[in-house]
């Protein structure tokens, strides 16, 4: 018997149409669109606590979890009249009416659009200028094991508590952990980000071997505390979101007692509904624990008074007052090296074609590609490119193939030498992997090879 092309569900007193309910979204487990809808309805009280009443960007996977996703900030023109929206203004100056999920019916409706995870802004629709969440995103560099991430989460809990805030942990559903703190909606996005920078730097001070607040990937080690997730226009997968990974893991709220032994593989679309039914929502009392940022902002002022500049912002933001120069540390060190300083004081010498003072030459592109691992930028680092892929899983699979061929080289690399970048295309994210061979003797460095995965995000765009 043929699968129905559409079914109608009665949800919260409304009819919600689910198109292609049998469409498989997770090929490795066979989970369908209807399975996702049923999952979200089973955990609706928890999911709505995370996303309800907040504007959200629609991250749509119309071809399933292993297909290419695209972001849709503006609410679809064709939508039920009971779908709420609110206007947001972005750093670019543009505006958009974004969807606001208000009940189970709206939740089912956005899942029908192909949204696997839910990506709300840290504000309520009633006040879009003052966040009520500070988000601590713990993002491990490649090679960092799960126990270290858990340890850093416990440090984050202590930092928040010492500055008057209550931390609420959850698995990210991918490689990291998130810790949220509910705050009184009194401060601007800029102030909340300042507080998040202070948190990141304090975590690094307390656990310097485990965590880093360094923005530049070449400086990172251990677990990166991504303070910029608190900048305006940034969203994070909310509580109880299914994530687009092969086993359909869920970004699951935890108690602090669970964190030291938790295993993210245990929380999936199959297991979380039963957990929710048995235990309820560990974050149920979060709204009653709203705190203030006075302590963290005072810590930020102390850092600034000590001469610590503002931490770097994401590259598409305008240069901010007090922000350090947006220059890669390796390039900054090169420009400030003693040799450079001495050359500035020495008498001029005739130019030579082979002058050591010539600017660095961009790394060679992979065969068949027009740009190399640094694009148009010049870097003193010996970089090679491994993959350009539509999904992170594809990119990481390409890295595994490269590792198998170059085991001796891989053994010399440090976690921070593996650069995994989510690149924003026209409407979707694609992934690039590069390797920094700085710790490999020059004579042993492999040459740039054809890419393990060669994805072109612009291939099908009309000109």
């Amino acid at each position: 018997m043929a699968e129905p092309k559409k079914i109608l569900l009665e949800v919260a007193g409304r009819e919600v149409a689910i198109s292609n309910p049998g469409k498989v979204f997770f090929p490795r487990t066979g989970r369908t669109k209807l399975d996702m809808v049923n999952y979200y309805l089973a955990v609706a009280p928890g999911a709505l606590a995370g996303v309800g009443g907040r504007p959200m960007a629609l991250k749509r996977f119309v071809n399933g979890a292993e297909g290419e996703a695209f972001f849709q900030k503006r609410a679809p023109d064709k939508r039920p009249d009971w779908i709420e929206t609110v206007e947001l203004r972005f750093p670019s100056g543009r505006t958009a009416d974004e969807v606001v999920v208000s009940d189970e019916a709206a939740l089912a409706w956005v899942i029908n659009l192909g949204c696997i995870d839910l990506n709300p802004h840290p504000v309520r629709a009633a006040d879009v200028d003052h966040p009520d969440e500070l988000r601590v995103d713990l993002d491990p560099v490649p090679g960092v094991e799960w126990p270290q991430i858990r340890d850093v989460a416990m440090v984050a809990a202590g930092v928040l508590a010492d500055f008057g805030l209550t931390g609420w942990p959850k698995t990210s559903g991918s490689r990291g952990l998130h810790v949220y703190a509910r705050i009184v909606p009194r401060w601007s996005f800029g102030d909340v980000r300042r507080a998040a920078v202070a948190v990141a730097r304090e975590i690094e001070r307390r656990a310097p071997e485990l965590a880093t607040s360094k923005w530049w990937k070449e400086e990172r080690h251990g677990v990166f505390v991504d303070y910029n997730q608190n900048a305006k226009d940034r969203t994070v997968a909310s509580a109880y979101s299914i994530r687009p990974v092969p086993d359909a893991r869920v970004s699951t709220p935890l108690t602090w007692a669970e964190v030291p032994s938790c295993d993210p593989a245990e929380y999936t679309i199959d297991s979380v509904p039963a957990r929710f039914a048995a235990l309820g929502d560990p974050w149920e009392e979060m709204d009653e624990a709203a705190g203030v940022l006075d302590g963290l902002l005072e810590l930020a002022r102390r850092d600034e008074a000590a001469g610590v500049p503002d931490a770097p912002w994401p590259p598409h933001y305008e240069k901010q007052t007090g922000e350090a120069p947006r220059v890669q540390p390796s390039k900054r060190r090169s420009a400030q090296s003693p040799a450079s300083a001495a050359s500035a004081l020495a008498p001029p010498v005739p130019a030579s074609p082979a002058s050591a003072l010539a600017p660095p030459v961009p790394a060679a592109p992979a065969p068949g590609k027009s740009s190399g691992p640094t694009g148009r930028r010049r870097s003193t680092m010996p970089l090679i490119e491994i993959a350009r892929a539509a999904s992170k899983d594809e990119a990481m699979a390409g890295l595994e193939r490269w590792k198998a061929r170059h085991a001796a080289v891989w053994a010399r690399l440090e976690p921070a030498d593996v650069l995994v970048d989510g690149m924003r295309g026209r409407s979707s994210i694609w992934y690039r992997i590069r390797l920094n061979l700085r710790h490999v003797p020059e004579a042993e460095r492999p040459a740039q090879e054809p890419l393990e995965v060669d994805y072109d995000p612009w291939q099908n765009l009309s000109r």
Side-chain angles (χ1 to χ4, degrees), residues 335-358:
Q336 296 172 349
S337 66
S340 298
S343 68
L345 299 175
V349 296
S352 167
S355 172
L357 299 179

Side-chain angles (χ1 to χ4, degrees), residues 2 14 39 46 53 55 65 69 75 88 92 103 157 203 216 232 234 255-256 259 323 353 361 365 394 405 431:
R14 307 184 189 279
Y39 161 81
L88 291 187
S92 65
D103 59 15
I203 292 172
W216 296 100
K232 190 173 184 179
R234 301 299 285 264
T255 67
W256 281 112
V259 170
E323 182 184 358
V361 178
E394 289 179 286
R405 293 200 313 277
Y431 292 87

Side-chain angles (χ1 to χ4, degrees), residues 139-417:
D139 184 14
V141 305
V144 170
E145 300 295 332
W146 181 250
Q148 182 170 336
I149 305 166
R150 296 185 309 213
D151 290 345
V152 175
M154 300 305 293
V155 176
V159 170
L160 293 172
D162 288 348
F163 289 89
L165 296 175
T166 302
W168 301 83
K170 68 181 178 73
T171 62
S172 72
S174 182
R175 297 185 62 244
L177 276 164
H178 299 153
V179 183
Y180 283 21
R182 179 70 77 239
I183 58 175
V184 176
R186 183 189 305 166
W187 291 272
S188 68
F189 275 94
D191 281 338
V192 175
R193 180 188 172 278
R194 280 181 71 214
V197 171
V199 170
R201 287 172 170 168
E202 184 63 16
I203 292 172
E204 182 177 27
R205 279 190 284 262
R206 296 187 185 191
E209 296 182 357
L210 302 179
T212 181
S213 64
K214 301 297 188 295
W215 174 256
W216 296 100
K217 289 191 175 183
E218 64 186 55
E219 288 190 313
R220 291 182 194 172
H221 68 278
V223 178
F224 171 50
V225 187
D226 190 355
Y227 54 84
N228 269 332
Q229 293 292 18
N230 294 274
K232 190 173 184 179
D233 195 25
R234 301 299 285 264
T235 61
V236 177
S238 64
Y240 296 99
S241 283
I242 306 169
R243 303 308 307 278
V245 294
D247 57 357
R249 292 187 187 185
V250 169
S251 183
T252 306
L254 306 171
T255 67
W256 281 112
E258 292 177 299
V259 170
S261 60
C262 71
D263 179 353
E266 294 179 357
Y267 310 115
T268 70
I269 188 175
D270 297 313
S271 63
V272 170
R275 169 187 165 87
F276 187 86
L279 303 178
D281 182 9
W283 285 16
E284 186 175 6
E285 298 178 357
M286 179 191 278
D287 287 344
E288 300 170 19
V292 297
L293 295 181
D294 296 347
L296 285 173
L297 292 176
E298 176 57 31
L299 177 61
R301 283 189 285 271
R302 292 201 300 267
D303 285 343
E304 292 158 8
V308 180
D310 187 10
W313 286 66
H316 60 285
Y317 284 74
E318 292 184 1
K319 184 76 162 52
Q320 304 292 312
T321 302
E323 182 184 358
R326 291 184 186 175
V327 181
Q328 286 175 279
S330 57
K331 295 177 68 175
R332 191 162 61 241
R333 287 192 295 269
S334 177
Q336 296 172 349
S337 66
S340 298
S343 68
L345 299 175
V349 296
S352 167
S355 172
L357 299 179
V361 178
K369 311 307 292 184
S370 60
S371 63
T374 60
R376 294 185 297 272
R377 297 165 65 185
R378 295 172 182 265
S379 174
T380 59
M381 290 295 179
L383 300 175
I384 59 173
E385 191 171 14
I386 303 302
R388 303 179 189 181
S391 72
K392 192 171 184 178
D393 283 346
E394 289 179 286
M396 297 304 290
L399 176 61
E400 290 298 321
R401 293 193 293 272
W402 188 93
K403 284 166 56 177
R405 293 200 313 277
H406 300 282
V409 175
W410 179 257
R412 293 182 177 274
L413 301 183
E414 296 183 1
D417 295 335

